[in-house]
């Protein structure tokens, strides 16, 4: 039996209620390459573009193919998103039932929730350049995934008070059937 994935550990029993495509994606183990489509909106302001740059996030509006490379191990996952105009990489780990994402100069801590088969990630803490972000300045983040058939549909948006939209992209990835899934018999 393969060890549980970080999403399986962070969600606990709620993981079993995720839509099948989401459960399959977040249970993947080892290296995987997924493809799909994405639509990216540009940051709303010049300061938003600076913050997007510091995160390694897309800085201009584009639409087209996305390639998602996953390196999934029980202790960490590396996500490499190859947008049409830019590559964004982050490392995720589980800590105390939360998912901690290192993205450029930021460390984001999310609480995960299952809602009617969807995955909702709620930002709980943000550290930027190692400095904790006060609650009044913390971005409003929408990060949701929905499973439809063999596709994972995603929507990610971050808006900073007084700055506006910093990150916004949505689309889908095709999730392979029959791949090595954590927590399953080998």
């Amino acid at each position: 039996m393969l060890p549980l994935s970080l999403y399986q550990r962070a969600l606990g029993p709620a993981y079993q209620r995720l839509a099948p495509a989401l459960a399959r994606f977040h249970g993947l183990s080892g290296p995987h390459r997924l493809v799909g489509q994405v639509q990216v909106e540009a940051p709303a302001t010049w300061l938003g573009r600076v913050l997007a740059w510091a995160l390694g996030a897309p800085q201009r509006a584009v639409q087209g193919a996305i390639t998602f490379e996953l390196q999934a191990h029980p202790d960490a996952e590396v996500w490499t998103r190859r947008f049409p105009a830019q590559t964004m990489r982050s490392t995720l780990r589980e800590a105390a039932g939360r998912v901690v994402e290192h993205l450029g100069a930021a460390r984001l801590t999310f609480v995960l929730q299952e809602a009617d088969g969807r995955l909702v990630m709620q930002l709980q803490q943000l550290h930027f350049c190692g400095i904790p972000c006060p609650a009044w300045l913390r971005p409003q983040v929408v990060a949701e995934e929905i499973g439809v058939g063999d596709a994972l549909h995603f929507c990610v948006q971050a808006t900073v008070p007084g700055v506006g939209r910093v990150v916004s992209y949505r689309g889908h990835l095709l999730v392979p059937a029959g791949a090595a899934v954590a927590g399953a018999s080998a």
Side-chain angles (χ1 to χ4, degrees), residues 4-18 23 94 96-99 112-114 119:
L4 295 178
S5 73
L6 70 93
Y7 276 79
Q8 288 169 326
R9 291 191 314 273
L11 274 167
Y15 183 86
Q16 301 303 319
R17 296 190 301 269
L18 290 177
E94 184 265 336
R98 310 287 191 253
V99 170
L112 305 184
Q113 295 181 333
E114 176 276 334
L119 176 64

Side-chain angles (χ1 to χ4, degrees), residues 142-168:
V142 172
E144 292 188 4
E145 297 173 355
I146 300 169
V148 179
D150 286 334
L152 176 155
H153 293 262
F154 53 86
C155 177
V156 177
Q157 183 167 342
T159 304
V160 175
V163 173
R165 182 181 59 244
V166 174
V167 176
S168 180

